[in-house]
Amino acid sequence: MPFETAAQAAAVTGAPGAEPCDLVTVPARQGLEAVDILRRRGAPEVGPVLHDGACDTLGFLVPPGTAAAWDLPGSACTRTSGRGLRLPELPELPEPAGDAPRPAGWLLPPGDTGPVTDPAVLRRALGEAARLIEAADGCH
């Protein structure tokens, strides 16, 4: 299930004492392409990235206040309303047995990346990712 509300995202990222941030969510395919683009350009241009349990959605942590001006089609930016999403150390979780859903977690955990992804850099990477996907899907 994708991150549908700030409360769902905060449940994954909730921990006291970390920096506040907003959360840009995108479909997983576009998000994975964008992560590749950002990583090829060199860290720390990409900050921590979350995945939902079904791996349908990726969430990029961006500076607080980003949601006020975010308008990229096909994505959403969750405003933290001053509460801030917090960055915990998520424990290693065992793989679920059978048909149990995977828990949400980090694709790129805090500490392995910059503190947040620059929104302008993310916007460009997501646009490039969308163009790459469109081109790949058009080459049948």
Side-chain angles (χ1 to χ4, degrees), residues 2-72:
F3 303 114
E4 294 175 1
T5 66
Q8 288 174 330
V12 173
T13 59
E19 295 299 316
C21 56
D22 286 357
L23 184 73
V24 172
T25 55
V26 297
R29 185 174 178 200
Q30 183 182 12
L32 290 170
E33 287 287 347
V35 167
D36 285 345
I37 291 164
L38 291 168
R39 303 258 350 225
R40 282 194 309 264
R41 292 183 182 154
E45 285 197 275
V46 60
V49 178
L50 292 161
H51 64 81
D52 66 355
C55 294
D56 291 331
T57 305
L58 292 186
F60 292 81
L61 301 184
V62 293
T66 298
W70 191 263
D71 62 353
L72 187 66

Side-chain angles (χ1 to χ4, degrees), residues 11-13 50 88-92 104-106:
V12 173
T13 59
L50 292 161
E89 292 296 323
L90 292 178
E92 285 295 319
W106 296 111

Side-chain angles (χ1 to χ4, degrees), residues 90-130:
L90 292 178
E92 285 295 319
L93 298 172
E95 289 295 315
D99 293 336
R102 292 183 54 131
W106 296 111
L107 176 67
L108 298 175
D112 290 354
T113 65
V116 292
T117 301
D118 179 289
V121 171
L122 178 58
R123 180 183 296 278
R124 285 191 298 272
L126 289 171
E128 185 176 337

